[in-house]
Amino acid sequence: MSQRSAIILIMSSLSLVVIMVLAIYLLNLNEQPGELVTHIYATPRATQAGKPMLQQLALITDQAYGSGDQYVPNSWGAQKERIVRTANGDLFMTYISAGEGLTDREWHLMHKAPRSADWQEIRTGNAGVEPINIVLGKNDSIHLFAWPGTQGKLQHIYSSDNGKTFISEWLPGNWQTGQEQGYSSVGVNDNGDMAFIQTGEDKPGVFNWTYYNSQANLWTFHTNKLDLRYTYAFLFPGYNGDLSIVATRDVQRHILGLPQASQGNPWIFNEIKYFHFDDVTAKNPLPSQLVIKTVQPKDTSDTSDRDVLYVTDSYVDTANRLHILYLNEYDGPHQAILENGKLVKDVAMHGVNFGQKMRIIQDTQGHFYIIAMGEQGNTINIYPGAANDTDGTRLGPEIKLDISRFPGCTDYDFCHSPTFTIPRAGNELSDTIDGVYGNFNKEVYFRINLRGGTNTAPPTTKITSPHIALLPYIDDKQHLR
């Protein structure tokens, strides 16, 4: 290379560096210290699937509430968030025990330190009727939500010091009273903004919900009347002042003009709907609604035919597409995908041999995995996306992980699905997931490396995003020691 050519090459390289530095400066010119920036989404590219490996399996407790046919058991609710992992690797999970009775179950918060094999109970409280929710908020804060005594008062219990101390507060709102169970759900984004929901009677239905702005440290309560009850909701706070909800219609048969059971369970699940609030800061935000699927019972006179459609999981991927996993009683497991609020796919997942307990997740490369409890409860079955998959609908061969030492089970309400560290609960995407599954009175912990290998300090991926402003409220707080 001549001296002239070398000088030209060096000058060109320096010019490129100057352009890049200038571009970065201009992009950040208006950003103030501490501000969050625009959320960046990336459509997954086809990648080689990992080879999932079970790394840990342990019994946490055999004292969870789940005996006989007594409701509401610990494993009830596919929408419940049950485990979180902090950036330091500390694990926190919750379960409920019998407590003092139906409206006074006891919740237990368990902790596992990063280099410990043991789970330690660090706090308990009155749960109300149903299992409580746990999520991670801003700066790894831990958040629990409960209905003590089932009195229509929502308790928010949180810790900002890795579970050493907790603060309790009552979140204001026109919550359902009369010992209503709650049917509660919570979702969080990676800013730490949170949405919590309670659903009510069959007709009219209702969403009672409160939204938390992490930047302003503010909660705002809202109520929306619906034609009918939609519940078992999955919540997704967005990054433009928006909120998405996926829920299953759950009403008594006679409300739909179907014969009512003379005894036993009178409810039927046969429709899935998507709700979207464009602006949670509006004075009276109203949701747009989109029916994802409706299926009429084949034999309307069969009053025992109840679980016609059932959402098992929902997930927002790295391209901002919303995935809805559901079981069609007559056609097996399905995956619906929404993009920009529109249904773009509804694919039968016949490769999943038992879809009653299935979830969906991505690893740090964006590769998709369907994770399900095996039909006999002796395996966790994982279905990695094929090499050409970019949305979790093209699956590779089934991988079975042996959990027979602490088997799971498949009852809808007494055996909860593998439930693990996910973005909806405040965790970053990772190649390693920590999770729990339920078997009547047992809660079992597992760790799975989705990519394979022996690494137990998983890489994670996180993207920053903008904040949303809401109106303040003032409430007394009680410190718990």
Side-chain angles (χ1 to χ4, degrees), residues 134-449:
I134 181 171
V135 294
L136 279 185
K138 197 172 183 179
N139 300 321
D140 268 352
S141 54
I142 302 162
H143 300 260
L144 312 174
F145 299 86
W147 300 100
T150 321
Q151 298 175 354
K153 296 177 66 177
L154 176 59
Q155 186 182 24
H156 173 219
I157 309 134
Y158 61 97
S159 172
S160 300
D161 56 7
N162 206 46
K164 294 180 178 65
T165 61
F166 283 82
I167 296 173
S168 173
E169 63 179 348
W170 301 103
L171 296 186
N174 186 26
W175 304 109
Q176 294 280 317
T177 57
Q179 295 194 331
E180 281 293 319
Q181 176 180 325
Y183 286 78
S184 307
S185 311
V186 64
V188 61
N189 64 21
D190 55 15
N191 289 343
D193 301 324
M194 288 180 273
F196 181 95
I197 198 168
Q198 174 199 54
T199 60
E201 298 295 331
D202 289 12
K203 185 177 182 179
V206 65
F207 282 166
N208 291 325
W209 56 284
T210 186
Y211 195 96
Y212 175 70
N213 179 294
S214 62
Q215 288 292 99
N217 189 29
L218 307 170
W219 289 93
T220 302
F221 176 83
H222 299 283
T223 293
N224 297 102
K225 294 292 185 182
L226 309 173
D227 57 341
L228 299 172
R229 180 169 81 144
Y230 291 83
T231 189
Y232 303 98
F234 294 85
L235 277 62
F236 301 93
Y239 299 96
N240 297 294
D242 59 305
L243 171 66
S244 296
I245 301 174
V246 176
T248 302
R249 188 173 68 189
D250 174 12
V251 297
Q252 296 190 53
R253 296 172 61 90
H254 71 88
I255 293 175
L256 301 180
L258 299 172
Q260 188 79 7
S262 58
Q263 58 184 1
N265 192 328
W267 285 273
I268 185 169
F269 305 78
N270 74 327
E271 185 172 281
I272 299 165
K273 187 175 279 189
Y274 167 73
F275 301 83
H276 185 78
F277 295 88
D278 287 330
D279 183 8
V280 298
T281 69
K283 184 176 180 181
N284 296 300
L286 297 174
S288 59
Q289 303 182 31
L290 176 67
V291 173
I292 302 302
K293 188 72 174 181
T294 306
V295 174
Q296 298 301 325
K298 288 184 176 180
D299 181 0
T300 57
S301 64
D302 181 3
T303 58
S304 66
D305 190 5
R306 297 186 296 267
D307 301 314
V308 181
L309 290 176
Y310 187 81
V311 176
T312 67
D313 199 17
S314 295
Y315 170 71
V316 173
D317 71 16
T318 55
N320 200 28
R321 298 171 299 195
L322 177 59
H323 300 249
I324 304 171
L325 300 189
Y326 70 90
L327 183 64
N328 182 328
E329 180 183 19
Y330 309 128
D331 192 33
H334 277 248
Q335 180 178 175
I337 301 177
L338 279 73
E339 194 164 1
N340 298 321
K342 296 180 180 179
L343 184 63
V344 295
K345 277 190 180 182
D346 190 338
V347 180
M349 309 293 286
H350 293 313
V352 178
N353 67 18
F354 187 69
Q356 187 169 309
K357 304 286 182 184
M358 61 179 178
R359 305 283 196 186
I360 185 170
I361 194 63
Q362 291 171 279
D363 62 22
T364 58
Q365 297 185 27
H367 206 92
F368 288 90
Y369 301 81
I370 304 294
I371 300 175
M373 179 61 65
E375 189 169 5
Q376 304 306 316
N378 290 320
T379 59
I380 291 178
N381 299 337
I382 302 184
Y383 305 85
N388 63 343
D389 176 65
T390 58
D391 63 7
T393 61
R394 300 182 183 93
L395 302 180
E398 175 186 72
I399 296 172
K400 293 187 175 185
L401 304 180
D402 182 8
I403 58 169
S404 58
R405 185 160 59 100
F406 299 112
C409 53
T410 56
D411 184 274
Y412 269 112
D413 294 332
F414 288 82
C415 312
H416 75 76
S417 306
T419 304
F420 40 85
T421 44
I422 52 173
R424 188 179 67 240
N427 281 115
E428 303 170 17
L429 283 180
S430 172
D431 291 337
T432 299
I433 57 174
D434 290 288
V436 290
Y437 57 87
N439 185 339
F440 287 81
N441 66 340
K442 297 181 177 63
E443 277 288 320
V444 181
Y445 161 71
F446 65 87
R447 169 171 285 185
I448 294 172
N449 189 317

Side-chain angles (χ1 to χ4, degrees), residues 95-143:
Y95 72 92
I96 60 169
S97 60
E100 297 181 0
L102 173 61
T103 59
D104 297 279
R105 302 299 180 206
E106 185 175 11
W107 59 260
H108 302 258
L109 177 61
M110 308 293 288
H111 171 235
K112 180 179 178 295
R115 286 171 292 279
S116 173
D118 299 324
W119 288 85
Q120 302 292 330
E121 182 175 287
I122 62 172
R123 194 157 299 276
T124 64
N126 191 313
V129 172
E130 64 185 32
I132 70 171
N133 288 281
I134 181 171
V135 294
L136 279 185
K138 197 172 183 179
N139 300 321
D140 268 352
S141 54
I142 302 162
H143 300 260

